[in-house]
Amino acid sequence: MRNNLVLILTSRLVSLTGAGIQAIAIPLFILEETGSAGLMGLFYAASLIPSLACTLPAGLAGDRYNRKHIVMLMDVLAAGMLLVMLGLHWASLLGMFALFVLQAFTSVVDVFYG
């Protein structure tokens, strides 16, 4: 039982650290690429609106389904979206629209993860 607690706390720490770094790095990337504070505001809206819209369904899913499976699935989806974002950036295909769409999906995943 103790090992399971250590594993889940460690994974949660790693996940929250990554999410925190992403929350800082992406707006700085937008500011560096565009110089537009307005686009940074749109980025935050792309994060906030899906989060608000999915809070109730995420709570219902957490009550109805196995939370451990939901957390594991959402962590895998979040990692996958970050890899997609990285691949698009390396291929020089990461435009602002793609970044905003990926962030909206990441926000939904974060709500279900939480």
Side-chain angles (χ1 to χ4, degrees):
M1 178 70 168
R2 185 169 184 253
N3 288 338
N4 289 341
L5 181 62
V6 170
L7 283 174
I8 198 159
L9 290 177
T10 303
S11 68
R12 185 76 172 152
L13 176 68
V14 169
S15 185
L16 288 174
T17 302
I21 291 170
Q22 180 184 0
I24 294 169
I26 293 177
L28 291 176
F29 172 77
I30 292 170
L31 187 61
E32 181 181 313
E33 290 294 311
T34 66
S36 171
L39 281 177
M40 284 178 61
L42 284 175
F43 172 79
Y44 283 117
S47 299
L48 183 63
I49 293 169
S51 293
L52 292 175
C54 290
T55 300
L56 184 60
L60 292 172
D63 289 340
R64 182 166 290 184
Y65 303 107
N66 187 335
R67 290 185 188 116
K68 182 173 78 172
H69 294 152
I70 292 172
V71 167
M72 289 187 319
L73 176 64
M74 293 304 120
D75 224 8
V76 168
L77 287 175
M81 284 188 285
L82 282 174
L83 289 174
V84 166
M85 198 179 299
L86 179 65
L88 289 173
H89 178 67
W90 279 347
S92 299
L93 299 173
L94 185 63
M96 288 300 129
F97 180 76
L99 187 63
F100 287 8
V101 169
L102 285 168
Q103 182 58 37
F105 284 122
T106 301
S107 296
V108 171
V109 166
D110 286 344
V111 168
F112 277 88
Y113 182 86

